[in-house]
């Protein structure tokens, strides 16, 4: 029975009858409408909360979650302007225009976790510098980005200062003789750890993308691993692709 | 108190003390070890289940979830071989080798949902052909892929037949005069709908990536929208990027 109630509400959210920010019918309304007990109604509402569709705001009631996703476009790192008119339009549609950005940067010297050390080709005991950033938009934490560099190549550079680098850490690496010419992106989708949920103020039913980018010099040396935790309800991750050469197509 | 128990177990899973497939201590063990009641122990275990880290297998107990993610590499569509040695190695490491693939294809003519119609530049009432595929590996459903095409351009083609197209639907489109030269990928991260959870046999704490790829011809006409639902616990999504031109770097 509770599924019938949650299915009905989910449908109204999906088709826009209940748009973002709208208040759901109250518990009393649903009890009267379906002739069921309060327990059943709460079960239906809590299913929607756990799917991340609805936010409880006591004592006012339940509201459809607002989403205003920001475009996360890894390719912007190597190429600011999109290739295509379509991406241009897409970025404009989802731009953070008018929203106020803020970030907090800290720098540490660490023995990185095995998965990071492996990607940087560091031996056990070798150290990395890490720049940790939290970014906010309009006071809401948007994502967490930790960038790791082999300590021996960045030790005496600006990368060690916990300040914004206007021309970018990649440019600093290039000036140090380690220009990145390619990168490998990995995207994992999972629930947040309790620590991530806390730092990013994530509600129930809010999974994250865990984005790991490894940057390589022309001779294949990995010089940077950037790990970004992206709350799914605040981002759309986007890429452009171009057709390369005639070949047997893959469906 | 329950958080202390779940934190301890989470740490052991993270550092590999409890590897994939390992059995967790039993409820009785945890009750004895921490001197707490069964309710507290169950709360701790159920937190880990909801984070997607642990699978309950009654009556045997709780086990660390096994993950053998498959690489989902959208760029393979336009270019089979990776650009770089790094991607080559990465794909090999995560290859589905030895696992048995299977797919089910059905074709339908539909009035697509507004978000699909908009991407295909279809007017209200215009129809699309959709090829719906479910793919399994070793009997486990891996992902669901729905590819939409404007009906007027594919009406008399192989795309309408519910069979595998060896040379690929993209090649069929090219033969029809609609070769795609670029694509725009959007990735959304969210909890599955109940229908997706059912079709993909998803347990608790299993979010999905919702991947929407729109393919364009050289003159900017969208001729295909492919929607893929990728369970986070079965995939790593991966891209290669190449540095384009000297520019002001973005950190």
């Amino acid at each position: 029975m509770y599924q019938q109630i949650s299915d009905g509400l989910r449908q109204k959210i999906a088709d826009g009858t209940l748009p973002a920010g709208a208040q759901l019918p109250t518990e009393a309304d649903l009890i009267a409408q379906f002739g069921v007990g309060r327990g059943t109604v709460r079960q239906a509402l809590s299913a929607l909360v756990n799917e991340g569709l609805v936010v409880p705001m006591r004592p006012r009631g339940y509201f459809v979650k607002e989403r205003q996703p920001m475009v996360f476009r890894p390719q912007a790192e190597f190429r600011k302007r999109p290739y295509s008119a379509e991406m241009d339009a897409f970025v404009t549609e989802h731009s953070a225009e008018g929203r106020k950005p803020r970030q907090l940067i800290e720098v540490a010297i660490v023995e990185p976790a095995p998965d990071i050390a492996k990607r940087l080709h560091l031996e056990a005991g070798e150290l990395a510098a890490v720049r940790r950033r939290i970014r906010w938009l309009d006071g809401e934490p948007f994502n967490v980005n930790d960038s790791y560099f082999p300590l021996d190549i960045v030790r005496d550079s600006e990368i060690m200062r916990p300040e914004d680098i206007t021309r970018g850490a990649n440019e600093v690496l290039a000036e140090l003789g380690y220009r990145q010419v390619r990168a490998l992106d990995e995207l994992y989708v999972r629930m947040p750890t309790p620590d991530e949920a806390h730092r990013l103020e994530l509600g129930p039913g809010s999974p994250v993308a865990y984005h790991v980018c490894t940057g390589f010099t022309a001779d294949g040396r990995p010089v940077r691993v950037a790990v970004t935790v992206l709350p799914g309800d605040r981002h759309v991750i986007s890429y452009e692709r171009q057709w390369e050469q005639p070949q047997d197509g893959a469906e």
Side-chain angles (χ1 to χ4, degrees), chain A:
Chain A
M1 186 59 209
Y2 86 88
Q3 281 181 343
Q4 207 176 312
I5 302 174
S6 56
D7 285 352
L9 292 169
R10 190 182 299 106
Q11 182 55 43
K12 285 186 179 160
I13 295 169
D15 70 17
T17 313
L18 283 169
Q23 182 167 9
L24 267 61
T26 62
E27 288 183 11
D29 289 343
L30 293 168
I31 289 166
Q33 186 185 342
F34 289 94
V36 295
R38 185 171 301 270
T40 305
V41 161
R42 290 218 170 137
Q43 211 178 348
L45 291 166
S46 114
L48 299 175
V49 170
N50 287 327
E51 287 169 36
L53 296 175
V54 157
V55 181
M57 299 177 80
R58 298 195 178 84
R60 292 165 57 212
Y62 292 82
F63 291 80
V64 180
K65 189 151 169 181
E66 308 229 30
R67 288 161 194 270
Q68 194 186 357
M70 193 178 77
V71 176
F72 179 71
R73 193 165 70 84
Q75 289 165 315
E77 186 181 54
F78 288 168
R79 192 175 199 281
K80 270 241 170 356
R81 277 194 58 77
Y83 297 97
S84 63
E86 294 86 20
M87 179 61 106
D88 230 3
F90 184 73
V91 169
T92 304
E93 186 184 339
H94 291 275
S95 83
E97 219 174 307
R99 289 192 274 177
K100 236 174 97 192
R102 186 163 68 87
Q103 65 177 349
L104 188 74
I105 302 176
E106 66 182 40
V107 173
I109 294 176
V110 297
E111 194 170 330
D115 59 323
I116 305 290
K118 181 186 161 201
R119 287 182 179 85
L120 279 180
H121 296 180
L122 295 182
E123 304 292 331
E126 276 192 279
L127 298 175
V130 54
R131 288 173 67 83
R132 297 195 179 109
R133 291 187 297 172
I134 305 192
R135 291 150 166 160
W136 286 267
L137 267 183
D138 280 352
E140 183 182 30
F142 249 67
N143 59 55
V144 169
N145 170 275
D146 295 345
S147 293
Y148 296 84
F149 309 87
L151 181 61
D152 61 355
I153 70 175
V154 300
R155 195 187 302 269
D156 301 313
S157 75
E158 267 170 89
I159 285 174
M160 303 304 292
R161 286 205 288 273
E163 290 157 16
D164 190 34
I165 303 172
T166 313
R167 66 190 188 291
N170 288 342
E171 199 47 41
V172 176
L173 277 177
E175 290 161 14
L176 292 168
Y178 302 94
R179 180 175 291 285
Q180 297 160 80
V181 299
R182 57 182 187 271
L184 178 62
D185 289 354
E186 301 160 56
L187 279 154
Y188 301 86
V189 170
R190 57 166 173 73
M191 297 313 284
T193 63
D195 179 59
E196 289 164 352
H198 176 73
R199 288 166 81 192
L200 289 163
E201 299 173 16
L202 300 174
S206 294
V208 296
Y210 183 82
H211 177 253
V212 184
C213 157
T214 309
F216 299 90
T217 60
D219 59 358
R221 174 163 184 187
V223 292
R224 182 183 56 116
V225 172
V227 175
T228 310
V229 181
L230 301 150
D233 57 1
R234 294 163 214 174
H235 294 87
V236 47
I237 302 163
S238 189
Y239 285 88
E240 286 173 288
R241 291 186 279 122
Q242 284 189 298
W243 182 74
E244 290 293 325
Q245 64 196 30
Q247 62 166 27
D248 291 345
E251 189 174 1

